[in-house]
Amino acid sequence: TEIHYYEVKTAGFAEDCIKQGIGQLWSYTFYESDNRKKKLIIFGKNKPTKAEYKFIDFVKSQFQGIEFDYLSLKDIEQE
């Protein structure tokens, strides 16, 4: 029922990963003609800092009709 787009980035900080990958994710959705709900996910190495969580919340608030999230390798390793 939805399409998930992932962009993997290797920068040391979550904010840098997001800055590097967000344009790529936007272009994927621009050229996609499928009308299913879309979710954009940046995958990075490290968990966000407290300040970066605020940045992530800001990015999320800017998207209308498209979900956004940041996922770290550290989050997956803890599962």
Side-chain angles (χ1 to χ4, degrees):
T1 59
E2 56 182 45
I3 299 172
H4 292 197
Y5 295 97
Y6 290 86
E7 188 60 41
V8 177
K9 295 297 173 195
T10 59
F13 293 98
E15 185 173 342
D16 292 336
C17 292
I18 293 166
K19 289 176 184 177
Q20 292 171 5
I22 202 74
Q24 291 170 289
L25 289 174
W26 268 119
S27 68
Y28 301 156
T29 61
F30 177 77
Y31 292 106
E32 177 63 65
S33 60
D34 192 306
N35 291 326
R36 288 181 285 176
K37 183 177 177 181
K38 296 174 180 64
K39 183 169 184 175
L40 310 179
I41 303 157
I42 301 284
F43 182 83
K45 181 170 60 171
N46 296 312
K47 284 184 143 188
T49 64
K50 288 181 183 182
E52 288 174 324
Y53 277 114
K54 289 181 182 180
F55 179 72
I56 291 167
D57 287 341
F58 169 77
V59 172
K60 287 180 178 184
S61 74
Q62 300 305 300
F63 294 133
Q64 295 182 344
I66 297 176
E67 282 187 59
F68 171 78
D69 210 351
Y70 175 84
L71 180 63
S72 77
L73 180 59
K74 303 289 183 191
D75 291 324
I76 291 174
E77 289 175 340
Q78 291 179 353
E79 290 182 359

